Amino acid sequence: MFRVGVEIGGTFTDIILISNGDIVKTIKVPSTRAQPGVGALNALRALEKSLSEIDVVAHGSTVATNAILERKGANTGLVTSKGFRDILEMQRENRLTNYDFFYQKSKPLVSRDKVREVPERIDVLGNVIEPLDENAVRAAVRFLVEEKGCVSLAISFLHCYKYPHHERRVKEIAMEIKPDLYLTLASDILPEFREYERTSTAVMSACVRPQVDRYITHIEQEMQALGFHGDFHIMQSNGGSLPAHVAREHGVRTLLSGPAAGVIAAANIARITGKGNLISLDMGGTSTDVCLINDGQPQISTDCQIDDLPLKVPMIDIVSVGAGGGSIAWMDAGIMLRVGPQSAGAEPGPACYGRGGNLPTVTDANVIRGLIRADNFLGGHMKLDPTAASEVFVELAAELKLDSQRAAEAVFKVANAEMANAIRLVSIERGYDPRDYSMVAFGGAGPLHACYLADDLDIREIIVPQYPGLFSAYGLLVADFKRDYSQTDISVLSKTSTEHIVEAFNVLDARALDEIGRYNLDLQECRHERCLDMRYKGQAFELTVPVCLDQLRSDGYEAIARAYNQLHLQRYGHSSPQEAVEIVNYRLVVISPNRGQPVAVAAVSSMEQVSAEGSVVLDGKPENCLYFSRATLPCDFTISGPAVVEEPTSTTFVAPGWQATVDSYGIIVMTREVSKQ
């Protein structure tokens, strides 16, 4: 069986081919931002293998993310309850920057002139207070379609999570008027309370759905023309995969799917190495993504934002910062050195690429310092121009009153500070101590910066997997099928019977089985994971607590209450066991294990190491350094820093005071030679 993972990044599109657990071929090609599908197809063609022999293609795409960030989603309209036309404009009262006199909230994805109200009203218990005005619905749909040219509509009514029938009737009427209209119901996408977040999520889904549908259709048609007749899977932001035909209807769930794939690959490393607590560090060309993994499972959040707009679907809790290899260094109005979030991307790319880039980037800084050698980038397939890298640093160095080498080192340190802050966000600010975790460093540049980040955070161990620059593509191939279901049903825990909780989960089970029964999955192999969103009565936020139905039946609600109090204590440093606890949302995750997971790659047998001597700039001065080819390093081989380990997809820097050892799987494990005082 041949399986292919294709992941589109901001700078490169990565592809990995696996057969029966063995990695057969790896490819990196420049991404084509204007038409990301072109880069994916170029990568597939570069396999030099007929797609008729490929059984599975797993794909992570930035199409949905770019559509939101660049405001290039489909022409979308919103139909909502009378009196709620301004819900997208009003948003929430919180400000992201308290002291910015010119602060403005993000503009809604749907402008006010494309929002139509219809008379109807449902109360908080799901009772119909005012029937749906079907004539008003017809007028609203015709106006949005004929006058505003909308090709996609979101329907979001107040308390629709309790009574979805009004939204479903609007869908029926809209289909009568325009059968090819894309329709998104808030009660389907997010049957949960909080009308603004639910409406925002529905609108976001409606905006990206046509693009995702067309993108997947185009990729499928092109692959079929090349002979592909296997299974096509799309990565979700929750770390699970979906069949492509299902992902068409759930485009919003593919947001941030590339970073999610990297985290899933890191979780697979936890399984291989037996190290359950990890911090994943994915530094690519455009950004760096970090995530916390506890007991082999990545943290999941349902309180996410894209471009400061709420998205309430389950997503891996990833913090992203604009500090990648292509991130541009610049001076702000306060004469302070900044790095990112602007990026040179793949076109034109950093100056050292020789494609017209004329601004200093992190990659240029690493070339100047000797961490990246010009003749060995991408395994020697792409020659870099160190002179161009030095030239673009002249002006920045003058502003900093430093020479080019020290300016490059300053850029390196500022990028590290941005990444270290991101790690603190997912660890310390969530109540976890980073010293209790190992770091998994991957992406094209992650292993270059890992030692310095570990020093800053007092992390004692760094893991660099094989093929780190293709690690997200690898993650696509180890991801399980995963589908999330939820339902709001607010009640006080102590006054809620065990039978009621079990029945609420049974309803979600039935909904799940009805849907995934159509996906050609073995339902007997599916695993059901259940959780409750809970809060102290009167709070405005929730924490998610896992629930075991057998334990619930035997111990009653007390075990759930204790688990919630412990989680609240860990997250916020205090708990109130005497306070009443409320159930807010019921959650179900259905997982079908990936039976085609590749195994870890064994280290090479003993052979002569390929190495070279050179120098790297440390603290403004050149220091002697050894450069090794990773492919020649056998099991148990140990290197002391400073040293550079090169490979076609990435570069690892072993900093002074650190040593790196190759384990039996070919994984590089870096540890401090002397404990940090």
Side-chain angles (χ1 to χ4, degrees), residues 275-343:
K275 302 178 188 297
N277 293 342
L278 302 173
I279 295 173
S280 67
L281 174 75
D282 179 4
M283 185 178 181
T286 305
S287 64
T288 295
D289 307 302
V290 299
C291 181
L292 204 70
I293 298 171
N294 286 317
D295 297 326
Q297 297 297 321
Q299 299 290 93
I300 301 293
S301 174
T302 56
D303 188 17
C304 305
Q305 291 187 334
I306 300 293
D307 196 21
D308 298 335
L309 298 174
L311 175 63
K312 291 281 289 184
V313 296
M315 304 176 71
I316 292 181
D317 190 8
I318 296 171
V319 172
S320 298
V321 291
S327 294
I328 296 169
W330 54 286
M331 304 296 288
D332 67 13
I335 319 299
M336 297 290 289
L337 177 62
R338 304 283 296 276
V339 174
Q342 301 88 355
S343 173

Side-chain angles (χ1 to χ4, degrees), residues 42-115:
N42 288 341
L44 287 169
R45 293 188 182 98
L47 277 175
E48 300 177 354
K49 188 175 189 63
S50 172
L51 289 191
S52 62
E53 300 178 60
I54 306 299
D55 300 281
V56 176
V57 172
H59 184 33
S61 169
T62 59
V63 170
T65 306
N66 292 342
I68 299 299
L69 295 178
E70 298 172 4
R71 290 297 202 273
K72 293 182 179 179
N75 188 355
T76 302
L78 170 64
V79 179
T80 190
S81 303
K82 185 177 181 180
F84 285 80
R85 184 181 183 185
D86 293 312
I87 189 169
L88 295 177
E89 301 285 345
M90 294 173 65
Q91 303 183 23
R92 295 290 181 188
E93 66 180 8
N94 55 300
R95 294 165 59 99
L96 295 179
T97 54
N98 292 329
Y99 304 105
D100 183 357
F101 291 125
F102 304 100
Y103 173 75
Q104 291 183 334
K105 295 180 179 179
S106 276
K107 291 183 179 180
L109 296 174
V110 173
S111 57
R112 191 174 187 272
D113 62 308
K114 295 178 184 177
V115 181

Side-chain angles (χ1 to χ4, degrees), residues 374-609:
D375 294 335
N376 288 62
F377 192 68
L378 289 182
H381 295 293
M382 181 177 177
K383 304 295 183 182
L384 301 182
D385 185 349
T387 301
S390 296
E391 289 175 350
V392 295
F393 261 84
V394 171
E395 183 178 343
L396 182 66
E399 289 187 80
L400 292 170
K401 298 180 180 179
L402 300 171
D403 59 43
S404 292
Q405 291 185 340
R406 286 188 178 274
E409 198 161 25
V411 169
F412 184 85
K413 291 178 178 179
V414 171
N416 288 344
E418 293 279 350
M419 291 184 279
N421 285 336
I423 294 174
R424 291 186 182 97
L425 280 174
V426 300
S427 58
I428 296 171
E429 293 200 13
R430 306 283 202 276
Y432 299 94
D433 189 339
R435 293 174 296 184
D436 297 332
Y437 292 76
S438 298
M439 178 187 291
V440 181
F442 55 98
L448 265 178
H449 294 251
C451 287
Y452 291 91
L453 294 172
D455 278 334
D456 192 4
L457 297 159
D458 203 12
I459 295 172
R460 298 172 177 82
E461 184 179 67
I462 301 167
I463 297 169
V464 182
Q466 290 217 42
Y467 304 101
L470 298 165
F471 207 49
S472 290
Y474 175 86
L476 296 169
L477 297 176
V478 299
D480 299 326
F481 166 88
K482 185 182 288 188
R483 184 76 169 86
D484 298 276
Y485 302 87
S486 64
Q487 181 66 55
T488 291
D489 186 4
I490 302 175
S491 64
V492 176
L493 176 61
S494 61
K495 298 179 181 179
T496 306
S497 68
T498 298
E499 291 75 15
H500 179 86
I501 297 174
V502 172
E503 179 56 29
F505 280 119
N506 286 341
V507 171
L508 290 180
D509 287 339
R511 188 196 304 174
L513 293 175
D514 179 62
E515 178 183 334
I516 65 176
R518 304 190 296 269
Y519 297 168
N520 297 322
L521 296 175
D522 186 348
L523 298 180
Q524 299 298 320
E525 288 192 349
C526 289
R527 184 173 77 253
H528 289 210
E529 296 181 353
R530 301 171 178 86
C531 300
L532 291 172
D533 287 352
M534 304 171 71
R535 65 187 182 187
Y536 291 125
K537 190 172 183 179
Q539 283 184 325
F541 54 89
E542 299 82 44
L543 294 175
T544 302
V545 179
V547 174
C548 173
L549 293 186
D550 290 337
Q551 184 182 30
L552 175 65
R553 293 186 182 99
S554 62
D555 298 344
Y557 73 86
E558 289 86 356
I560 300 176
R562 285 195 300 271
Y564 174 77
N565 287 318
Q566 290 170 359
L567 184 58
H568 198 284
L569 177 64
Q570 179 187 54
R571 179 64 62 87
Y572 301 110
H574 65 91
S575 63
S576 302
Q578 72 281 2
E579 296 289 338
V581 177
E582 281 186 330
I583 297 173
V584 175
N585 296 314
Y586 292 76
R587 298 194 180 278
L588 170 69
V589 183
V590 180
I591 301 170
S592 178
N594 181 349
R595 295 304 181 189
Q597 289 196 3
V599 298
V601 182
V604 298
S605 58
S606 180
M607 60 187 299
E608 184 177 352
Q609 287 74 56

